[in-house]
Amino acid sequence: MVWTMLYFRGGMPVVFVIARDWTLRTGVRAELREQGIDALGMESPDDAGRALAAGQMPSALVIEVTAEIAGDPGLQHLMARVPAVLVASRTEKIPLPAAHSVFYRPVRIADITARVREILRRGHAA
């Protein structure tokens, strides 16, 4: 498989990877960065808020859905403007916010990053 670098007018596209599970967060982040995408790993919606306040605007989101995240109004507002890929538990029943895509655990990192690349290639930007 041949990967091409994705560049936007302002440089590399930015993706927020928001997950409490550090293995998910670091795995997705590392794979996206290998593919030329500026992936920022974040543990909570508060981290995303700080990045937004600092001027970082994502082109896509990868979010591990937890009760805290599903109910966060600031993150829901961001998801209304930016395409999101959700990673949810099959056993924990949480109402899922509207999103571009939903993956249920177990999921492969490659499947998540492929969906993010698809979103970015189609030109969905915030």
Side-chain angles (χ1 to χ4, degrees):
M1 182 179 304
V2 176
W3 295 107
T4 57
M5 301 291 275
L6 294 172
Y7 291 98
F8 286 27
R9 258 179 261 142
M12 287 192 298
V14 175
V15 175
F16 288 3
V17 181
I18 306 167
R20 287 256 184 236
D21 177 355
W22 71 270
T23 57
L24 174 67
R25 184 175 66 242
T26 57
V28 170
R29 182 175 179 265
E31 185 68 27
L32 289 173
R33 292 181 68 81
E34 282 290 320
Q35 297 173 22
I37 298 166
D38 189 9
L40 305 178
M42 302 171 182
E43 192 172 327
S44 71
D46 291 342
D47 294 338
R50 284 189 285 279
L52 289 168
Q56 291 286 340
M57 189 60 184
S59 299
L61 306 167
V62 175
I63 302 170
E64 175 192 27
V65 181
T66 63
E68 172 195 9
I69 287 176
D72 185 271
L75 196 54
Q76 289 177 359
H77 179 70
L78 182 61
M79 288 175 58
R81 298 179 308 156
V82 179
V85 175
L86 303 182
V87 178
S89 170
R90 289 188 190 278
T91 59
E92 188 178 3
K93 300 299 179 196
I94 298 172
L96 299 177
H100 183 275
S101 300
V102 178
F103 288 101
Y104 290 93
R105 289 179 182 256
V107 61
R108 294 177 333 127
I109 298 295
D111 294 337
I112 296 168
T113 59
R115 188 63 48 88
V116 170
R117 287 183 59 84
E118 175 187 311
I119 289 169
L120 296 174
R121 252 193 312 274
R122 290 185 179 179
H124 294 282

